[in-house]
């Protein structure tokens, strides 16, 4: 199954599509973007139950965090899933401002 992640700024979320034809919305990671502060706050991540257990949450988190890195944005992981994913992938901890890491348990 092919998965594809895109940023949907109109809905303030990254979306992952999958399914037989790769076009079904399988989940999303909502965010609040503050370009003035150079920050993106992830607030909620959800994967449709039909796509659960297929690793799409990780695909979504990695793509969203890679996009934040490419844009030079600091990440505020309010979403427990994104925060937990960063905790399991310490190479992404640098995206969270050092002064805020303790707040997020990182």
């Amino acid at each position: 199954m092919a998965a594809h992640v895109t940023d949907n700024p109109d809905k303030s979320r990254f979306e992952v599509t999958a399914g037989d034809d790769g076009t079904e919305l399988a989940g999303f990671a909502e965010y609040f973007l503050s370009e003035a502060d150079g920050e993106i706050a992830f607030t909620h991540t959800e994967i449709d139950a039909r796509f659960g257990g297929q690793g799409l949450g990780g695909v979504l988190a990695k793509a969203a965090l890679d996009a934040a890195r490419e844009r030079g944005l600091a990440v505020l992981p309010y979403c427990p899933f994104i925060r937990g994913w960063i905790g399991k992938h310490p190479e992404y901890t640098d995206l969270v401002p050092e002064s805020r890491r303790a707040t997020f348990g990182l």
Side-chain angles (χ1 to χ4, degrees), residues 35-57:
E35 295 210 41
D37 295 327
E39 296 177 338
I40 186 167
F42 288 97
T43 57
H44 177 71
T45 300
E46 190 171 316
I47 298 295
D48 187 293
R50 294 176 300 133
F51 296 96
Q54 299 177 31
L56 294 177

Side-chain angles (χ1 to χ4, degrees), residues 14 30-43 64-78 82 86 92-101 104 106:
F14 284 89
E30 295 176 333
Y31 62 79
F32 176 78
L33 177 62
S34 175
E35 295 210 41
D37 295 327
E39 296 177 338
I40 186 167
F42 288 97
T43 57
L65 294 170
D66 286 345
R69 185 183 302 281
E70 288 172 15
R71 293 178 63 187
L73 297 171
V75 171
L76 304 178
Y78 291 103
I82 297 291
I86 292 171
Y92 286 86
T93 304
D94 66 303
L95 292 173
V96 181
E98 191 170 355
S99 64
R100 307 284 297 272
R101 290 180 192 161
F104 297 111
L106 297 170

Side-chain angles (χ1 to χ4, degrees), residues 4 8 17 20 22 25-26 35-36 41 51 54 58 67 71 77 79-81 85 88 96 102 106:
H4 184 70
N8 184 341
T17 55
D20 293 336
L25 180 63
E35 295 210 41
F51 296 96
Q54 299 177 31
R71 293 178 63 187
C79 167
F81 181 83
W85 197 90
K88 292 176 186 171
V96 181
L106 297 170

Side-chain angles (χ1 to χ4, degrees), residues 3-8 14-17 56 58-64 67:
H4 184 70
V5 177
T6 56
D7 184 6
N8 184 341
F14 284 89
E15 299 175 339
V16 61
T17 55
L56 294 177
V59 169
L60 177 59
K62 181 180 185 321

